[in-house]
């Protein structure tokens, strides 16, 4: 009876309103980590003392762990007929940014997705099993963290913020910036710095802390739209999207192409499920790069789901969903609706899709250009110096009186 009650409770918590067809071939999920503490409290923050918080700055809280555990259970229910309950490295590959809260979120998620059953049980009364999570340092990661240095991207972003549109945005927010700077004790002069402060206030309010009186006139109503806009800036145009999200879409498309081109019985058939644990900026960047971002601050565990289908008749097609509430809702691209033909998806994303090798070449092209300009300057400099020096010597020789070098012979008279 108890087991039946648990089952009914689970079904009620995760109603089967979604339908995953039998031709589903591969799934990729990208999600934001769970609830965390503030990364950096502002100078005048009444809750900047570490004693107010259960864990250190920027770390995953117990609420965040539970939220991701529940998301893992959601994946288990959604893909109950697709993803075997027994764990196998041939079924799933997990990658996370190299940040504690994303690594821990992936662990909590996997605990909900893969509670040990059968031969996976390795210790009695322990509903958990170790599953590998892969990561690389953020400053080396151009795909998921997207924080590997790219000089050309930095130039494009600077140009964006110098544009008339963002000049007007900053001018419009001049008084708001000044107000926030005065009362927070930290300089707020950009959308990014405003969003950081907004995020801290959001976390404190979510933890039932009473916010200072000065926030009443600005939080959340006045700050929220600008905080939401800040999430669009990193991929605001095609050039930025190409260098920020392009390597990820190249990896995504390459993975799906491998799934469509390789027979299921092949020895190196890639895993059917890829899991990426990342950040709110990651979710916003990917949605915006697809032209599907409705300005907002992606909440904890916000998830993008890519599902590749291989029907027995017809071409492979793709469905994309965004889950930022209880249910995953379809993401419709501008020229591709539900059951988007995979080839069409590739064409849509082609302008921004870029391999890591191409990304590296484009990012460093500005450095090569600077080196070329510097080398050209050095050559021209020495050419000018040489010309000036030669001309100076020639002028001196022209002005010098001609001296006849003559030696008088013996016996010669003057």
């Amino acid at each position: 009876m108890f087991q039946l009650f648990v089952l009914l409770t689970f079904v009620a918590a995760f109603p089967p309103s979604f339908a995953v067809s039998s031709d589903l071939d591969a799934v990729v999920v990208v999600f934001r980590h769970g609830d965390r503490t503030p990364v950096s409290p502002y100078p005048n923050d009444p809750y900047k003392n570490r004693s107010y918080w259960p864990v250190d700055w920027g770390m995953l809280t117990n609420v965040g762990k539970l939220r991701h555990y529940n998301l893992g259970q959601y994946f288990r229910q959604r893909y109950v007929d697709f993803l075997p309950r027994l764990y196998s490295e041939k079924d799933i590959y997990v990658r996370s940014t190299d940040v504690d809260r994303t690594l821990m979120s992936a662990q909590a998620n996997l605990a909900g997705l893969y509670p040990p059953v059968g031969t996976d049980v390795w210790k009695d009364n322990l509903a958990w099993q170790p599953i590998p999570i892969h990561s690389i340092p953020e400053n080396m990661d151009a795909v998921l963290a997207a924080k590997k240095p790219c000089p050309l991207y930095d130039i494009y972003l600077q140009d964006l913020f110098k544009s008339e549109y963002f000049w007007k945005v900053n001018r419009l927010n001049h008084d708001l910036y000044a107000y926030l700077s005065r009362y927070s004790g930290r300089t707020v002069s950009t959308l990014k710095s405003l969003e950081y402060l907004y995020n801290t206030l959001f976390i404190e309010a979510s933890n039932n802390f009473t916010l200072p009186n000065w926030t009443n006139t600005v939080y959340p109503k006045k700050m929220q739209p600008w905080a939401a806009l800040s999430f669009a800036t990193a991929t605001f145009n095609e050039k930025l999207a190409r260098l920020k999200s392009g390597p990820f879409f190249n990896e995504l498309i390459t993975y799906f192409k491998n799934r469509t081109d390789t027979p299921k019985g092949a020895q190196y058939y890639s895993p059917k499920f890829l899991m990426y644990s990342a950040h709110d900026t990651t979710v916003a960047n990917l949605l915006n790069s697809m032209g599907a971002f409705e300005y907002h601050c992606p909440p904890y565990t916000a998830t993008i789901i890519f599902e590749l289908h291989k029907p027995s008749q017809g071409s492979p097609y793709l469905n994309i969903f965004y889950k930022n509430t209880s249910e995953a809702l379809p993401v419709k691209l501008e020229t591709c609706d539900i059951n988007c033909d995979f080839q069409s998806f590739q064409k849509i994303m082609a302008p921004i899709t870029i391999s890591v090798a191409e990304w590296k070449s484009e990012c460093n092209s500005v450095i090569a250009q600077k080196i070329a300009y510097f080398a050209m300057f050095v050559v021209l400099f020495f050419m000018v110096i040489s010309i000036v020096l030669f001309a100076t010597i020639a002028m001196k020789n022209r002005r010098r009186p001609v001296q006849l070098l003559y030696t008088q012979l013996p016996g010669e008279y003057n």
Side-chain angles (χ1 to χ4, degrees), residues 28-159:
V28 175
V29 298
V30 185
F31 51 65
R32 186 193 179 191
H33 56 76
D35 306 51
R36 61 164 171 80
T37 55
V39 172
S40 177
Y42 55 95
N44 296 338
D45 194 337
Y47 308 108
K48 65 182 178 181
N49 192 305
R50 169 66 180 76
S51 62
Y52 282 104
W53 303 94
V55 292
D56 215 335
W57 305 119
M59 298 298 290
L60 192 70
T61 64
N62 283 344
V63 173
K65 297 170 191 175
L66 181 58
R67 200 185 296 271
H68 254 291
Y69 178 83
N70 290 338
L71 181 60
Q73 288 187 313
Y74 171 88
F75 290 149
R76 170 50 57 199
Q77 175 68 8
R78 183 181 181 93
Y79 301 112
V80 63
D81 296 323
F82 174 73
L83 200 60
R85 291 187 176 275
L86 282 174
Y87 166 74
S88 170
E89 72 284 354
K90 295 180 180 179
D91 290 328
I92 185 171
Y93 180 89
V94 185
R95 177 170 173 177
S96 171
T97 60
D98 192 27
V99 179
D100 287 353
R101 59 182 175 271
T102 55
L103 289 161
M104 294 171 68
S105 292
Q107 293 171 355
N109 195 294
L110 290 167
L113 178 60
Y114 277 108
V117 295
T119 56
D120 282 344
V121 176
W122 59 283
K123 182 175 175 58
D124 293 339
N125 301 319
L126 181 61
W128 175 83
Q129 61 176 317
I131 294 175
I133 301 169
H134 305 268
S135 183
I136 62 174
E138 286 194 296
N139 63 358
M140 297 173 61
D141 187 358
V143 175
L144 187 57
K147 288 189 176 182
K148 188 172 182 177
C150 179
L152 185 59
Y153 176 84
D154 295 338
I155 291 174
Y156 288 160
L157 194 61
Q158 290 171 12
D159 290 343

Side-chain angles (χ1 to χ4, degrees), residues 384-401:
V384 171
I385 292 297
S386 299
I387 293 171
V388 171
L389 185 61
F390 177 80
T392 302
I393 294 172
M395 290 296 291
K396 285 183 177 181
N397 288 337
R398 182 177 297 178
R399 293 173 183 173
R400 185 182 300 166

Side-chain angles (χ1 to χ4, degrees), residues 112-335:
L113 178 60
Y114 277 108
V117 295
T119 56
D120 282 344
V121 176
W122 59 283
K123 182 175 175 58
D124 293 339
N125 301 319
L126 181 61
W128 175 83
Q129 61 176 317
I131 294 175
I133 301 169
H134 305 268
S135 183
I136 62 174
E138 286 194 296
N139 63 358
M140 297 173 61
D141 187 358
V143 175
L144 187 57
K147 288 189 176 182
K148 188 172 182 177
C150 179
L152 185 59
Y153 176 84
D154 295 338
I155 291 174
Y156 288 160
L157 194 61
Q158 290 171 12
D159 290 343
L160 177 74
F161 291 135
K162 291 177 184 176
S163 67
E164 182 181 2
Y165 176 79
F166 281 97
W167 180 83
K168 288 181 178 178
V169 166
N170 287 330
R171 185 176 181 181
L172 181 64
N173 285 316
H174 176 271
D175 291 345
L176 178 60
Y177 289 163
Y179 182 88
L180 296 175
S181 299
R182 175 185 177 185
Y183 285 101
S184 70
R186 174 178 291 164
T187 300
V188 176
S189 58
T190 63
L191 291 177
K192 188 174 183 179
S193 54
L194 181 149
E195 191 277 324
Y196 282 171
L197 179 58
Y198 176 87
N199 189 264
T200 298
L201 296 176
F202 173 83
I203 293 172
E204 292 175 350
S206 299
N207 281 271
N208 296 319
F209 290 139
T210 301
L211 298 182
N213 290 333
W214 65 264
T215 65
N216 294 338
T217 58
V218 293
Y219 176 86
K221 191 173 181 180
K222 287 187 178 181
M223 296 178 69
Q224 194 278 332
W226 304 115
L229 175 60
S230 73
F231 280 102
T233 57
T235 53
F236 201 76
N237 55 43
E238 187 176 290
K239 293 191 298 184
L240 290 168
R242 179 176 172 84
L243 295 177
K244 179 60 71 171
S245 302
F248 175 87
F249 281 105
N250 181 73
E251 184 167 296
L252 177 77
I253 290 172
T254 300
Y255 165 69
F256 282 149
K257 286 175 71 175
N258 288 340
R259 290 289 302 188
T260 57
D261 296 343
T262 309
K264 290 188 177 182
Q267 183 177 358
Y268 298 106
Y269 197 60
S270 53
K272 61 169 69 176
F273 197 101
L274 299 188
M275 176 184 287
Y276 293 93
S277 181
H279 307 267
D280 48 6
T281 51
T282 314
V283 171
N285 289 341
L286 297 184
L287 287 173
N288 204 33
S289 297
M290 292 187 292
F293 182 55
E294 297 179 4
Y295 290 176
H296 70 291
C297 303
Y300 297 120
T301 69
T303 306
I304 305 173
I305 303 173
F306 300 88
E307 295 180 348
L308 178 72
H309 296 259
K310 285 174 61 176
S312 56
Q313 300 291 330
S315 303
Y317 63 90
L318 193 65
N319 279 326
I320 308 171
F321 301 89
Y322 180 46
K323 183 181 185 301
N324 65 352
T325 55
S326 59
E327 282 303 314
L329 301 177
V331 173
K332 299 179 182 179
L333 306 188
E334 185 177 356
T335 58

Side-chain angles (χ1 to χ4, degrees), residues 3-18 70 73-74 77-78 323 326-327:
Q3 291 177 336
L4 178 61
F5 172 76
V6 171
L7 177 61
L8 291 174
T9 302
F10 183 82
V11 171
F14 304 99
S17 57
F18 40 75
N70 290 338
Q73 288 187 313
Y74 171 88
Q77 175 68 8
R78 183 181 181 93
K323 183 181 185 301
S326 59
E327 282 303 314

